[in-house]
């Protein structure tokens, strides 16, 4: 029988592509979604409501592996106090709901793999390079990622191999970061943000999905891993490279930081700060990134 992978948040940007990769590699996939969808030969859809703590238990009980992507989008809306509470609690409550079912039924899975983010190192600019041993920051981004990772601790304590992928900015076709930037840059209105010196650790969606597959297949993989390319890309470099791929050179001045802060409030830190990260830990396991050159990665995404 095929091994079954349950994906929470499986209808999102990463989840949809990851589902296809898993199927291509011989897995069956279950997806937990708020809305019931028509199942197919390789994908079974189940419903849940995290706020009401309602879930179709079969989704959890049939799983051999669980990939936990579900959670409020940290860049989705302005950070009001209510929005912050929702972001902080979303992955925590959903993970607890899944764990409770496993515990009540005395069922174990082979691995629990959860999304985290390089934001765990904080909304800070600087030259320091961050590996997985670095202490987490205590600003909102750092605390949010700590909460997400802490939600995986009960699985680990219960003897389940647990992996956290600290993801950078995901580059993919027609969704995510590029879906927001490309229309502006195509009009030749793109420009670096603020100083432009803030780092932008990025990863191609193909490589991110490959990392999730590696986390399933490799029994030696556990704990946190930086899921980003180590190439010191800054916002200015990223902006100029995207413009180059689209066939022009940036002519506009940098967008002033105060305008971004005025428009987005505290959430502007997502655009105006960024850390350097090191991916040596995952490479030490033999994992090889396919897309390591920013220009090539952008061309690949925009050609699809």
């Amino acid at each position: 029988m095929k091994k079954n992978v349950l994906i929470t948040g499986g209808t999102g940007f990463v989840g949809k592509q990851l589902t296809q990769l898993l199927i291509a590699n011989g897995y069956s996939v279950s997806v937990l979604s708020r809305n019931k969808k028509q199942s197919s030969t390789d994908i079974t859809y189940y419903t849940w409501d995290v706020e009401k703590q309602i879930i179709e238990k079969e989704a959890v009980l049939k799983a051999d592996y669980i990939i936990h992507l579900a959670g409020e989008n940290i860049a989705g809306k302005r950070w009001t106090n209510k929005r912050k509470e929702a972001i902080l609690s979303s992955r925590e409550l959903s993970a607890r709901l899944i764990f409770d079912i496993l515990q009540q039924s005395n069922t174990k899975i082979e691995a629990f793999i959860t999304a985290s983010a390089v934001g765990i190192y904080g909304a800070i600019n600087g030259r320091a390079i961050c590996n997985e041993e670095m202490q987490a920051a205590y600003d909102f981004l750092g605390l949010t990622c700590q909460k997400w990772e802490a939600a995986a601790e009960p699985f680990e304590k219960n003897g389940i191999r647990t992996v956290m992928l600290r993801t950078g900015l995901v580059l993919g076709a027609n969704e995510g970061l590029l879906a927001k930037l490309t229309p502006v840059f195509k009009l030749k209105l793109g420009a670096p943000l603020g100083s432009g010196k803030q780092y932008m650790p990025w990863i191609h969606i193909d490589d991110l999905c490959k990392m999730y597959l590696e986390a399933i297949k490799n029994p030696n993989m556990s704990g946190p891993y930086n899921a980003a390319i180590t190439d010191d890309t800054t916002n200015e470099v990223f902006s100029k490279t995207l413009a180059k791929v689209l066939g022009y050179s940036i002519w506009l001045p940098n967008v002033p930081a105060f305008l971004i802060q005025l428009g987005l409030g505290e959430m502007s830190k997502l655009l105006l700060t960024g850390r350097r990260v090191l991916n040596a830990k995952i490479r030490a396991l033999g994992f090889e990134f396919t897309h390591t050159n920013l220009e090539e990665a952008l061309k690949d995404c925009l050609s699809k």
Side-chain angles (χ1 to χ4, degrees), residues 7-19 31-34 37 45 69-71 175-176 205 209:
I7 306 178
T8 74
T11 58
F13 172 36
V14 175
K16 287 186 291 186
Q17 185 151 328
L18 178 56
T19 294
V31 172
L32 274 169
S33 173
R34 281 175 288 191
K37 295 180 179 289
Y45 291 94
L69 304 178
E175 291 192 68
I205 191 169
C209 291

Side-chain angles (χ1 to χ4, degrees), residues 3-302:
K3 294 279 189 176
N4 179 262
V5 182
L6 172 62
I7 306 178
T8 74
T11 58
F13 172 36
V14 175
K16 287 186 291 186
Q17 185 151 328
L18 178 56
T19 294
Q20 296 308 312
L21 179 64
L22 290 170
I23 291 170
N25 279 269
Y27 296 90
S28 67
V29 176
S30 300
V31 172
L32 274 169
S33 173
R34 281 175 288 191
N35 302 308
K36 188 70 174 178
K37 295 180 179 289
Q38 184 66 42
S39 297
S40 64
T41 304
D42 292 303
I43 310 172
T44 306
Y45 291 94
Y46 295 93
T47 56
W48 68 339
D49 186 320
V50 175
E51 287 186 6
K52 295 179 181 178
Q53 292 287 283
I54 296 171
I55 187 172
E56 289 188 78
K57 293 183 180 180
E58 183 187 351
V60 178
L61 297 179
K62 70 182 280 190
D64 296 294
Y65 303 91
I66 295 176
I67 294 178
H68 188 34
L69 304 178
E72 292 289 337
N73 182 356
I74 201 164
K77 298 177 184 177
R78 195 181 177 102
W79 291 349
T80 62
N81 287 336
K82 184 177 180 181
R83 179 67 180 168
K84 281 184 172 183
E85 289 175 10
I87 291 169
L88 283 167
S89 66
S90 57
R91 277 201 179 88
E92 184 179 30
L93 294 177
S94 50
R96 186 186 304 162
L97 179 58
I98 291 168
F99 178 75
D100 286 347
I101 291 171
L102 292 174
Q103 194 171 46
Q104 290 162 13
S105 61
N106 198 28
T107 300
K108 277 197 176 182
I109 55 175
E110 294 187 39
F112 180 79
I113 304 151
T114 185
S116 185
V118 295
I120 197 166
Y121 306 117
I124 303 164
N125 288 325
R127 291 285 301 166
I129 191 161
C130 305
N131 63 27
E132 292 83 355
E133 302 302 316
M134 178 172 274
Q135 185 175 2
Y138 282 87
D139 56 11
F140 177 64
L141 280 179
L143 287 170
T144 296
C145 296
Q146 285 184 68
K147 280 258 189 182
W148 291 349
E149 294 189 8
E153 287 179 4
F155 296 86
E156 187 174 25
K157 289 177 179 177
N158 205 39
I160 296 168
R161 182 169 63 86
T162 303
V163 181
M164 292 83 79
L165 295 189
R166 295 175 175 174
T167 309
L169 297 162
V170 183
L171 305 184
N174 306 315
E175 291 192 68
L177 176 68
L178 288 181
K180 296 178 180 179
L181 291 181
T182 304
V184 177
F185 274 75
K186 280 185 175 179
L187 294 172
K188 300 186 178 180
L189 297 175
L193 305 178
S195 70
K197 295 178 181 178
Q198 63 273 33
Y199 290 100
M200 290 182 65
W202 60 273
I203 185 169
H204 192 293
I205 191 169
D206 289 352
D207 282 325
L208 179 59
C209 291
K210 276 174 56 182
M211 283 186 73
Y212 277 106
L213 179 61
E214 181 74 10
I216 287 173
K217 295 169 69 174
N218 191 335
N220 296 317
M221 195 169 170
S222 65
Y225 291 85
N226 287 336
I229 298 301
T230 303
D231 71 347
D232 290 351
T233 292
T234 62
N235 180 264
E236 182 177 10
V237 168
F238 187 95
S239 301
K240 288 181 176 179
T241 306
L242 180 55
K244 179 183 177 182
V245 169
L246 292 171
Y248 73 99
S249 297
I250 284 179
W251 59 277
L252 287 170
N254 292 22
V255 180
F258 79 88
L259 287 179
I260 300 168
Q261 292 164 343
L262 192 64
L264 298 178
E266 189 181 357
M267 197 173 77
S268 62
K269 291 179 179 179
L270 291 175
L271 303 178
L272 298 174
T273 64
R275 311 285 322 250
R276 300 167 74 204
V277 299
L278 186 67
N279 60 24
K281 185 179 177 183
I282 185 66
R283 287 189 290 106
L285 291 177
F287 181 86
E288 294 183 3
F289 290 86
T290 302
H291 303 276
T292 57
N293 178 273
L294 178 62
E295 184 175 343
E296 175 275 323
L298 289 172
K299 284 179 178 177
D300 181 78
C301 292
L302 296 179

